[in-house]
Amino acid sequence: MKSKQKNYLNRTCIAICILLFTLVFIRPVYVEAGTPAIVKIPSGSDAGLDKYDITGDGIPDSIKAFSDYDEYDYYYLYVTVNGRTAYKTELNEEYASFEAKIIHLKNGRTFLYLANNFMENNSSYKIYKYSNGLFKPIINLNSNVGKQSYGTYFGNIILKVSGNTLKVYGTHHSYTLGKVSVRHEYVYKNGVLKLSPATGYIRKITQKKNNKLISSRTLTVKKSLTAYKSATSNKKYFTLRKGQKVTVDKIYYSKKSGLRVRTKYKKKYGWIKCSKKKNNGYFKYIYLPIL
């Protein structure tokens, strides 16, 4: 009788040890709030991430991103959460590629970033929020750099996160400034991730002088340009004259005001309206690599 009781106790202890081992060592590692990060989702139906809470229930979820054919032989990009399709879009098999990343803020909020690169100057860069089983777009990164009528496109995106602020670095092209490196910032506040401030920062402008490429935010004015007091004002503030050297430091776009950039001449700041003409002649030495 004692032998049977001893064997029963031994088996019970072993079962408890196995259960504790499973709970402690085998369960997915949950990345909690306070650990901001940008993490690439490995591509493939057998890959993915399982450390982040996507659905908002406090439990780590499995998220995968992959491309595949459907039953009709159409090529699609799929993003799944816990085995269920949360996003699907058709891809051009010949040109398209994609990149998927998790944006995890300090407060624990998690978003999806998707870059669908159809061609070099025809790409989509969006941020999505998970809601009711689907990823829904909340931010279109292309919308901050103007429409193609300005000769614009956006590319070479790099994401960085600090606390609850997302910093988006990229290369912006336009007829007015040519090739420019810019930075926009998005801040999570009051339940919303939004652009703040409304203007983007111009980090450098590529210019071509004497067949050499240089990077500088100082430009030489090529013809008289009207400067406005703010990014949204239509009231003339002052005039930039041919030959003057100005520093260009900010960029702004809205449907109402169009695409504008801020210039500084001596101690005076003014915003100029960007051109929709390729050969606009606003500034000297503008580098237009493919426009």
Side-chain angles (χ1 to χ4, degrees):
M1 188 68 177
K2 289 183 178 180
S3 178
K4 288 183 178 180
Q5 289 179 341
K6 186 176 181 180
N7 289 337
Y8 174 77
L9 289 172
N10 288 338
R11 289 196 298 270
T12 302
C13 289
I14 292 172
I16 292 173
C17 289
I18 292 174
L19 178 62
L20 290 174
F21 179 84
T22 301
L23 292 173
V24 175
F25 296 102
I26 298 181
R27 68 177 181 175
V29 178
Y30 176 42
V31 179
E32 298 180 352
T35 314
I38 302 291
V39 184
K40 184 176 181 179
I41 303 174
S43 176
S45 58
D46 296 326
L49 297 174
D50 59 3
K51 298 180 181 180
Y52 296 90
D53 175 21
I54 306 297
T55 61
D57 60 2
I59 301 173
D61 299 295
S62 171
I63 181 170
K64 297 180 179 181
F66 57 92
S67 56
D68 200 0
Y69 293 95
D70 67 358
E71 62 270 28
Y72 304 106
D73 263 354
Y74 289 100
Y75 197 53
Y76 282 91
L77 163 62
Y78 296 89
V79 181
T80 65
V81 175
N82 300 326
R84 296 184 177 182
T85 300
Y87 177 84
K88 176 183 176 182
T89 189
E90 188 174 357
L91 296 176
N92 184 315
E93 182 182 2
E94 184 177 358
Y95 298 107
S97 62
F98 74 90
E99 183 178 50
K101 293 182 178 181
I102 286 295
I103 302 169
H104 187 69
L105 304 181
K106 183 178 180 180
N107 59 16
R109 303 291 181 178
T110 303
F111 301 90
L112 171 69
Y113 165 76
L114 280 179
N116 298 333
N117 303 309
F118 302 107
M119 295 182 71
E120 187 175 11
N121 61 347
N122 183 19
S123 300
S124 171
Y125 308 98
K126 294 182 180 180
I127 297 173
Y128 298 79
K129 180 181 179 180
Y130 186 86
S131 177
N132 298 322
L134 297 173
F135 280 113
K136 299 178 181 180
I138 58 170
I139 295 174
N140 180 2
L141 299 181
N142 300 66
S143 66
N144 300 320
V145 293
K147 296 182 178 181
Q148 288 189 345
S149 56
Y150 292 97
T152 63
Y153 75 87
F154 203 35
N156 302 321
I157 306 297
I158 297 175
L159 303 178
K160 294 184 179 181
V161 64
S162 175
N164 295 321
T165 298
L166 173 67
K167 297 179 181 180
V168 180
Y169 298 81
T171 302
H172 170 239
H173 293 73
S174 72
Y175 294 144
T176 300
L177 296 182
K179 184 178 179 181
V180 178
S181 295
V182 298
R183 183 184 85 243
H184 289 89
E185 295 186 0
Y186 297 82
V187 178
Y188 188 91
K189 190 176 181 180
N190 298 326
V192 180
L193 182 66
K194 65 178 182 179
L195 187 66
S196 181
T199 54
Y201 302 91
I202 293 179
R203 302 172 62 232
K204 62 180 181 180
I205 302 172
T206 301
Q207 301 175 55
K208 191 172 184 179
K209 293 183 179 181
N210 301 320
N211 292 320
K212 292 183 179 180
L213 296 180
I214 63 171
S215 294
S216 174
R217 294 191 304 169
T218 300
L219 298 177
T220 302
V221 179
K222 199 171 181 180
K223 66 180 182 181
S224 295
L225 299 172
T226 298
Y228 302 87
K229 195 158 190 176
S230 73
T232 57
S233 172
N234 286 316
K235 186 176 181 180
K236 181 179 176 180
Y237 186 37
F238 63 91
T239 300
L240 293 173
R241 303 296 182 184
K242 180 178 179 180
Q244 291 178 340
K245 294 186 181 298
V246 298
T247 301
V248 184
D249 65 347
K250 290 187 178 182
I251 187 169
Y252 173 84
Y253 174 76
S254 72
K255 290 182 179 180
K256 184 177 180 179
S257 301
L259 183 66
R260 301 190 184 193
V261 292
R262 191 175 80 163
T263 62
K264 179 184 178 183
Y265 177 65
K266 294 184 177 180
K267 295 183 178 181
K268 217 170 187 179
Y269 289 94
W271 291 81
I272 65 168
K273 296 180 180 181
C274 292
S275 176
K276 294 182 180 181
K277 295 181 180 180
K278 185 175 181 179
N279 299 312
N280 56 76
Y282 279 18
F283 301 103
K284 289 184 177 181
Y285 312 119
I286 292 301
Y287 177 57
L288 300 172
I290 63 173
L291 298 180

